Amino acid sequence: MILTDELTTPIGAMRVCATEDGICLLEFADKPLLENELVDLQRRLNAPIISGENAHIKQLKIELTEYFSGHRKAFSVTLHTLGTDFQNAVWQALGTIPYGETASYQEQATWLNNPKAVRAVARANGMNRIAIVIPCHRVIGKDGSLTGYAGGLERKRWLLDHEKKQAL
């Protein structure tokens, strides 16, 4: 089964889902297509979503509180990512972007030894279901501009500003 709970953050309510294998979703509760993601999650895992909490959700709540208070720069909670090999490689690459720093989709594609895969990298970033922990908010346009973020550009800006302040 998939357990789910809601939590409050300084930038809005979030929905978390976890299996016994780890966190499989962390999204803003007001995300327009969240219900579609939940249906897809149930289909992929062939399991129902029920309200509840396990050790992974408890740990995530503690780590997010530490992150938002400026006392955590890296997450250690176990993740249960549901992606292709390419998507998982992109999401792992996101985790290598240092706290308080940013990278472009082009840089990400280069790290993956596939510099022509910029659009595929951007698409994989967009498929990330574990916001903040898998830090897709750290990816910006090649020209330094803020680009798409499912949680909204204001949240992306807030997260980047928060990390820059804490990194000093």
Side-chain angles (χ1 to χ4, degrees), residues 2 17 24-25 37-45 82:
I2 305 163
C17 292
C24 54
L25 182 135
E37 283 190 40
L38 296 171
V39 169
D40 184 57
L41 193 60
Q42 290 179 95
R43 182 188 57 77
R44 285 173 174 258
L45 293 173
L82 302 168

Side-chain angles (χ1 to χ4, degrees), residues 54-145:
N54 64 13
H56 301 298
I57 292 175
K58 288 177 185 175
Q59 182 180 350
L60 176 71
K61 287 179 176 181
I62 290 166
E63 291 186 13
L64 277 174
T65 298
E66 293 168 349
Y67 170 83
F68 282 113
S69 69
H71 295 100
R72 175 172 290 276
K73 295 182 179 177
F75 292 90
S76 60
V77 66
T78 302
L79 302 180
H80 182 185
T81 58
L82 302 168
T84 65
D85 289 344
F86 180 77
Q87 288 169 331
N88 281 309
V90 168
W91 299 335
Q92 279 190 309
L94 284 169
T96 67
I97 303 170
Y99 179 93
E101 296 182 26
T102 58
S104 69
Y105 296 111
Q106 181 68 62
E107 288 172 305
Q108 242 189 316
T110 300
W111 296 336
L112 294 167
N113 295 318
N114 198 346
K116 294 184 179 183
V118 175
R119 286 188 178 172
V121 165
R123 193 168 29 259
N125 281 347
M127 297 298 294
N128 173 26
R129 288 184 175 93
I130 306 174
I132 303 172
V133 177
I134 298 177
C136 55
H137 62 276
R138 294 183 189 150
V139 179
I140 58 172
K142 191 175 180 180
D143 64 358
S145 65

